[in-house]
Structures are given as structure tokens and as C-alpha cells.
Amino acid sequence: MKRKRIPAVLITVVSLAVSVLAVLGVRAITAQDTGRAKYTVRVPNGLAFSEFRGYEGWQTVSVSHD
């Protein structure tokens, strides 16, 4: 019975893809953990999200109509 050998190129490509996905996953988790990622959001030609730092602690306000 003959064994089929997996080409070295295929092994290299798969290992490279797994490595890239691992690095991207770690970067995404790190960005979420630091909490700084949300303050880098900016509206084109407008306000930056960083101008509202601390909004999480704002008091809730509601409007009532008669």
C-alpha cells in the first residue's frame, strides 16, 4: 500500500494561516481588554468618541409628556 505524502507547501501554508489568525485573535482580545479601542472611533469630519470619555457614568434622564 502506498502512502500519500502531504506536500511541504501545503503544511507551510496551513501553519502560516493558523499563526496569522492566532496573532489577530490576540490583538482583538487585547484591544477589548484595554478599553482604549472604543476611544479611537471618529466620525468623518466630526466628533471623536474620545470627547465623551466617562459617559458610562452619566445619569439617566427621561422625558415625560403631559
Side-chain angles (χ1 to χ4, degrees), residues 13-25:
V13 169
V14 169
S15 63
L16 181 62
V18 169
S19 300
V20 168
L21 289 175
V23 168
L24 291 175

Side-chain angles (χ1 to χ4, degrees), residues 10-53:
L10 181 62
I11 293 172
T12 304
V13 169
V14 169
S15 63
L16 181 62
V18 169
S19 300
V20 168
L21 289 175
V23 168
L24 291 175
V26 169
R27 288 186 66 194
I29 291 171
T30 304
Q32 289 175 352
D33 288 344
T34 60
R36 293 181 291 172
K38 66 181 175 182
Y39 293 117
T40 60
V41 176
R42 185 174 202 83
V43 177
N45 298 323
L47 297 172
F49 201 64
S50 61
E51 296 179 33
F52 297 102
R53 253 182 224 271

